[in-house]
Amino acid sequence: MKIVVIGGTGLIGSKLVKKLQEHGHEAVAASPDSGVNSITGEGLADALKGASVVVDVTNSPSWEDAAVLKFFETSTRNLLSSEAAAGAGHHVALSVVGTERLLESGFFRAKLAQENLIKASSIPYSIVRATQFFEFVKQIADFSTAGNQVRLPPALFQPMAADDVASAIARIATNSPVNGIVEIGGPEQFRLDELARRDLAARQDPREVISDPHAGYYGIQVSERTLVPNDDARLGETRFGDWLSHATKQVLKGHLQPA
Ligand SMILES: NC(=O)c1ccc[n+]([C@@H]2O[C@H](COP(=O)([O-])OP(=O)(O)OC[C@H]3O[C@@H](n4cnc5c(N)ncnc54)[C@H](OP(=O)(O)O)[C@@H]3O)[C@@H](O)[C@H]2O)c1
């Protein structure tokens, strides 16, 4: 099966392309570097020739409110019309658990606009809503840092490994479209403040994490269950502790830049 992964050079896209190829599919990594641009439309018609499935794991280079909305709306419209012209039978897109509860943020308004365009199109689809990736816990802490202190709320949090996100998308992309939303998440629930404390401690990062119910997640007010998936979510296997010890060993060995 020919599967085109738009954003195939990104964190999730590169893992997804590898997994699909390992399962014998013709997986094509498409991104501006390979001459495929979902904003200008450049290279899309050629890349999509003969494709059965198109997976959209792009992300916007800017998260500023107007820019991110323009990115996801333009990119999604271009992809859907090129897919219709090419006769692709399944559009898969990666979105975020709790998107409709996070609309205080322009980023999530843009993700909801992306989802709505997909639902309104004639192409059969599967929207995969994932929880936050383990790889982004430190970035969440960085956003909430002032001086040597990180203020985060004790909201429930069920993140997952990027590798498990890619495996779940590979399974969904190679099955029939669900014409709806599938939620995916990690195997364990934590508190956001507690997990950031654990992540920073393992990296020997001296910042202090303060539990503050009024602090936001990327500046957005969240309540107890804003960030966690429904009970029917499909869960990844990788546990945070195992991922963290592997990730910090790699950093100490110099194989990786600190995330
Ligand atoms: N962060 C989280 O915790 C989280 C949780 C759930 C869902 N998500 C969603 O996951 C998705 C993917 O995230 P990621 O971290 O894998 O993203 P990423 O590493 O930033 O990769 C983004 C990809 O999009 C490509 N891209 C950018 N502009 C493009 C354009 N005009 N045309 C074609 N491709 C373009 C990039 O290509 P270049 O490499 O050439 O720039 C890159 O391959 C996002 O939509 C995000 O909302 C994230």
Side-chain angles (χ1 to χ4, degrees), residues 11-158:
L11 173 65
I12 302 300
S14 53
K15 292 176 187 289
L16 174 61
V17 167
K18 199 161 158 250
K19 285 179 195 290
L20 290 168
Q21 286 171 345
E22 282 165 4
H23 283 90
H25 296 290
E26 181 192 349
V28 179
S31 74
D33 274 354
S34 63
V36 183
N37 190 319
S38 61
I39 295 298
T40 62
E42 182 198 350
L44 273 182
D46 268 355
L48 265 51
K49 259 185 212 144
S52 307
V53 183
V54 176
V55 183
D56 179 4
V57 282
T58 57
N59 209 348
S60 172
S62 164
W63 288 13
E64 184 274 320
D65 283 3
V68 69
L69 183 63
K70 191 164 180 219
F71 178 90
F72 280 112
E73 284 188 336
T74 309
S75 173
T76 305
R77 280 200 184 100
N78 285 341
L79 289 177
L80 292 168
S81 64
S82 304
E83 287 167 36
H90 190 181
H91 179 91
V92 181
L94 180 56
S95 190
V96 189
V97 161
T99 289
E100 77 286 356
R101 300 187 286 271
L102 296 162
L103 299 179
E104 195 187 316
S105 141
F107 182 83
F108 291 98
R109 292 196 292 276
K111 293 301 286 183
L112 193 65
Q114 176 189 18
E115 291 187 359
N116 288 338
L117 286 167
I118 296 166
K119 288 179 186 169
S121 88
S122 59
I123 314 273
Y125 69 92
S126 305
I127 294 170
V128 184
R129 280 188 172 184
T131 56
Q132 291 67 33
F133 313 153
F134 291 161
E135 285 77 356
F136 284 100
V137 173
K138 182 173 173 291
Q139 189 177 303
I140 294 170
D142 292 347
F143 185 92
S144 301
T145 296
N148 195 40
Q149 291 188 332
V150 180
R151 283 187 181 273
L152 283 169
L156 288 173
F157 191 56
Q158 199 173 331

Side-chain angles (χ1 to χ4, degrees), residues 153-204:
L156 288 173
F157 191 56
Q158 199 173 331
M160 63 190 297
D163 209 46
D164 288 345
V165 176
S167 299
I169 300 176
R171 268 194 296 276
I172 291 163
T174 50
N175 275 290
S176 301
V178 298
N179 292 315
I181 292 175
V182 178
E183 288 197 337
I184 60 175
E188 309 159 280
Q189 272 190 1
F190 303 94
R191 300 276 167 183
L192 177 54
D193 55 340
E194 163 212 324
L195 202 71
R197 198 172 288 126
R198 224 172 122 181
D199 187 284
L200 295 185
R203 296 170 195 279
Q204 297 167 8

